[in-house]
């Protein structure tokens, strides 16, 4: 098992003892503060009266079928205005994500030609015709899904998320999520929301909801005062589908607000452990490299060296230290502390360091790469076992080990920890059998 420091202020759960600190509470929907409302957005257009009436008639259908026909005026900066931004500015209250969906669906024409790229630049004199696509609905229903609850009171719940569990529903993945389980656990009814409110990625990521672009997270059909969290009960932050470990969920609006503020101020303490393909050099350090969407693969983020604005990358900083060098230097057990919480931040920074996570096929930690590192450093008698171990890698070896935050109601500091699950532990044990070298804490440390 992974050795953890002993601290009386920490609650912990391990895969061997399965100890859980839990306070059982009975929660009803009336105690749960998130509520849906009816949107009261006044939509305006500078087009003809007929166009205005058409838009007004479609208010009640959440912009579905709204048509816009306008000429870009002379005040537009030549070559500098994106098509999605311009359309969003002409239909008051609509989200940019909704406009982007309409563009991708081929419902936008510029000068008589279909344009399906949101980043297309419009200029003065361009004639734009747009029809807003129908709003697709997703439904999240309560499901009796076993939840590994590490801590719970009437205000917050901390869950040790299993690997392969998605945090919230998204198109093509509307059941079996953490949100479905929370709805059942808290005796909440099912709810519907548009797929525009789902995240654009096909898997979750560790990025605070408060940091998401407001256009991309607008809640069409919901009261404009409600945040995106309102349609994902209590979710304050996320973990990738493949990542296991601790995640805090708010049970009331005040708790959600205060926890979100802590994430924004970066006072939440989060420590992760990973298994990497290779050993970082140096064995401890700080990575401060912006992270942005990979232009060649929309499912992947990338560390951006150079001007971050060129790819709309966002500031990202991670501290790391090698706990143990494994298998003769072919792998390492690495601890990470996040200063920011960007999408796939650890995975992107690990790749930037040249040590992708074991099992992370998206970021380079492929089975073939891992085998190429292990075979030269492994006795031939163990090659069969190594091949078997590598073949079982089905997720990035990343675990959210500890979580610390100020309780949103009592103000007390809460510190929780959870040891890595069995699959992580088995791989670690096999790598240790090949070779292990512990790195002394006196040689390096990560500031809290």
């Amino acid at each position: 098992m992974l050795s953890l420091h002993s601290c009386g202020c920490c609650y912990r759960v391990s895969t061997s003892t399965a100890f859980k600190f839990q306070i059982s509470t009975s929660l009803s929907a009336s105690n749960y503060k998130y509520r849906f409302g009816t949107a009261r957005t006044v939509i305006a257009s500078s087009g003809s009266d007929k166009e205005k009436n058409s838009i007004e008639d479609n208010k009640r259908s959440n912009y579905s079928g709204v048509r816009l026909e306008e000429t870009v005026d002379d005040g537009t900066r030549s070559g500098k205005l994106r098509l999605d931004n311009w359309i969003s500015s002409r239909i008051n209250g609509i989200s940019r994500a909704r406009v982007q969906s309409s563009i991708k669906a081929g419902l936008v024409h510029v000068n008589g030609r279909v344009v399906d790229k949101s980043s297309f630049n419009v200029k003065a004199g361009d004639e734009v015709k747009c029809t807003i696509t129908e709003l697709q609905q997703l439904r999240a229903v309560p499901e009796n899904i076993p939840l590994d609850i590490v801590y719970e009171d009437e205000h917050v719940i901390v869950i040790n998320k299993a690997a392969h569990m998605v945090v919230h529903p998204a198109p093509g993945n509307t059941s079996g999520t953490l949100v479905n389980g929370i709805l059942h656990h808290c005796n909440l009814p099912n709810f519907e929301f548009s797929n525009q409110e789902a995240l654009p990625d096909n898997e979750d990521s560790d990025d605070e909801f408060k940091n998401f672009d407001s256009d991309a997270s607008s809640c069409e059909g919901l009261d404009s005062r409600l945040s995106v969290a309102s349609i994902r009960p209590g979710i304050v932050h996320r973990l990738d589908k493949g990542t296991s470990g601790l995640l805090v969920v708010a049970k009331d609006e005040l708790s959600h607000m205060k926890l979100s503020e802590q994430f924004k101020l970066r006072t939440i303490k989060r420590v992760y452990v990973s298994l990497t393909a290779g050993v970082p050099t140096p064995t401890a350090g700080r990575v401060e490299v912006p992270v942005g969407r990979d232009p060649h693969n929309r499912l992947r983020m990338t560390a951006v060296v150079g001007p971050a604005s060129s790819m709309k990358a966002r500031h990202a900083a991670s501290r790391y230290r090698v706990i143990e060098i494994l298998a003769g230097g072919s792998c390492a057990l690495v601890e990470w502390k996040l200063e920011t919480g960007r999408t796939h931040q650890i995975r992107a920074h690990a790749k930037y360091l040249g040590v992708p996570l074991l099992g992370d096929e998206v970021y380079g930690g492929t089975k073939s790469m891992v085998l190429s590192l292990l075979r030269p450093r492994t006795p031939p008698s163990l090659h069969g076992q190594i091949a078997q171990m590598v073949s079982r890698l089905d997720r990035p070896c990343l675990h959210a080990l500890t979580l610390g935050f100020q309780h949103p109601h009592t103000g007390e500091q809460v510190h929780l920890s959870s040891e890595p699950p069995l699959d992580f532990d088995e791989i670690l044990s096999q790598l240790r059998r090949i070779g292990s070298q512990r790195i002394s804490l006196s040689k390096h440390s990560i500031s809290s």
Side-chain angles (χ1 to χ4, degrees):
M1 301 300 294
L2 179 68
S3 299
L4 296 173
H5 74 281
S6 176
C7 175
C9 65
C10 295
Y11 301 113
R12 63 190 74 249
V13 56
S14 70
T15 52
S16 57
T17 62
F19 170 78
K20 300 179 184 63
F21 180 85
Q22 178 175 352
I23 302 174
S24 299
T25 58
S26 177
L27 301 174
S28 66
S30 62
N31 291 330
Y32 206 85
K33 303 299 183 182
Y34 297 117
R35 292 290 180 267
F36 296 98
T38 302
R40 296 181 179 178
T41 306
V42 177
I43 309 171
S45 171
S46 61
S48 67
D49 291 339
K50 183 178 179 180
E51 289 168 344
K52 291 179 182 178
N53 292 336
S54 175
I55 292 177
E56 287 293 333
D57 289 342
N58 282 279
K59 263 196 312 187
R60 290 168 293 180
S61 61
N62 297 319
Y63 303 97
S64 296
V66 165
R67 297 182 65 187
L68 173 71
E69 296 185 14
E70 277 194 43
T71 299
V72 180
D73 60 40
D74 294 335
T76 300
R77 294 172 297 171
S78 177
K80 294 295 185 180
L81 185 59
R82 285 170 53 116
L83 177 61
D84 55 350
N85 286 336
W86 183 82
I87 294 174
S88 300
S89 72
R90 309 312 299 160
I91 305 177
N92 188 31
I94 196 169
S95 73
R96 187 158 58 94
R98 185 75 180 282
V99 171
Q100 289 172 343
S101 177
S102 303
I103 295 171
K104 291 177 183 178
L107 298 177
V108 176
H109 294 72
V110 178
N111 299 327
R113 299 181 62 179
V114 174
V115 174
D116 59 5
K117 291 186 177 181
S118 300
S119 59
F120 180 86
N121 288 321
V122 294
K123 60 184 183 299
D126 284 346
E127 295 182 359
V128 179
K129 295 182 179 180
C130 169
T131 302
I132 300 302
T133 186
E134 293 292 322
L135 188 65
Q136 302 298 314
Q137 297 294 320
L138 296 175
R139 177 186 291 265
V141 300
E143 295 180 30
N144 188 9
I145 300 171
L147 299 177
D148 186 357
I149 299 172
V150 179
Y151 173 87
E152 182 176 8
D153 60 30
E154 61 181 318
H155 304 295
V156 298
I157 179 172
V158 178
I159 294 168
N160 185 28
K161 187 185 85 68
H164 307 297
M165 174 181 272
V166 173
V167 172
H168 58 77
N173 193 18
T174 57
S175 64
T177 73
L178 184 62
V179 163
N180 295 111
I182 291 172
L183 289 174
H184 179 272
H185 180 76
C186 296
N187 298 318
L188 295 173
N190 61 327
F191 62 91
E192 291 186 354
F193 57 96
S194 77
N195 67 8
Q196 303 303 317
E197 287 132 33
L199 295 179
D201 303 327
N202 71 333
E203 65 177 24
D204 302 328
S205 42
D206 185 68
D207 203 346
E208 296 88 49
F209 278 106
K210 294 288 284 186
N211 286 341
F212 266 84
D213 181 89
S214 59
D215 288 330
S217 60
S218 295
C219 300
E220 311 262 41
L222 301 181
D223 188 280
S224 60
R225 294 168 297 177
L226 297 182
S227 70
V228 68
S230 302
I231 53 88
R232 303 182 186 97
I235 302 299
V236 183
H237 64 128
R238 301 167 294 162
L239 295 176
D240 289 352
K241 176 182 177 181
T243 303
S244 56
L246 298 177
L247 183 143
V248 61
V249 178
K251 287 185 176 181
D252 57 69
E253 192 170 3
L254 178 62
S255 295
H256 185 276
M257 179 187 69
K258 289 191 173 183
L259 287 171
S260 296
E261 186 67 14
Q262 290 179 56
F263 273 102
K264 182 178 180 180
L265 296 175
R266 302 173 185 172
T267 59
I268 298 284
K269 304 299 182 184
R270 290 175 291 173
V271 178
Y272 294 72
V273 287
S274 69
L275 294 173
T276 61
V279 181
T281 303
T283 56
R286 182 175 182 269
V287 183
E288 186 175 8
V289 181
V291 171
R293 185 75 59 182
D294 189 329
H296 306 296
N297 184 342
R298 295 293 297 170
L299 302 182
R300 183 172 64 197
M301 308 299 287
T302 185
V304 180
V305 180
S309 58
S310 62
M311 291 179 57
K312 291 192 174 180
R314 304 173 69 190
H315 172 256
S318 310
R319 294 181 181 271
Y320 73 91
R321 72 176 179 92
V322 175
I323 300 173
E324 193 172 353
I325 297 175
L326 301 163
S330 58
C331 301
L333 177 64
V334 181
E335 176 187 276
W336 301 83
K337 289 186 177 181
L338 297 182
E339 295 182 17
T340 57
R342 305 306 181 206
T343 301
H344 297 183
Q345 178 173 318
I346 290 175
R347 298 165 67 185
H349 277 175
K351 179 178 174 62
Y352 170 78
L353 291 172
V355 289
L357 307 188
L358 263 64
D360 196 346
E361 297 282 336
V362 175
Y363 287 87
T366 62
K367 293 180 174 64
S368 59
M369 179 197 183
V370 176
L371 278 174
S372 69
L373 290 173
L374 286 171
R375 284 184 182 277
R377 298 172 173 84
T378 305
S381 60
L382 296 178
H383 282 183
Q385 295 180 31
I386 291 301
Q388 264 193 342
M389 177 197 76
V390 172
S391 68
R392 291 196 297 269
L393 289 172
D394 61 356
R395 70 173 181 105
C397 290
L398 181 63
H399 177 74
L401 181 72
T402 67
L403 179 66
F405 57 91
Q406 184 181 56
H407 194 283
H409 284 260
T410 67
E412 296 178 354
Q413 292 296 322
V414 179
H415 297 279
L416 303 161
S417 65
S418 168
E419 292 190 9
L422 187 60
D423 65 334
F424 188 111
D425 192 57
E426 287 180 344
I427 295 169
L428 177 58
S429 296
Q430 288 198 45
L431 294 174
R432 280 173 171 165
R433 282 196 288 270
I434 301 171
S436 171
Q437 177 189 347
R438 298 282 297 188
I439 303 298
S440 171
L441 285 175
S442 62
K443 293 182 180 180
H444 57 224
S445 63
I446 304 178
S447 300
S448 297

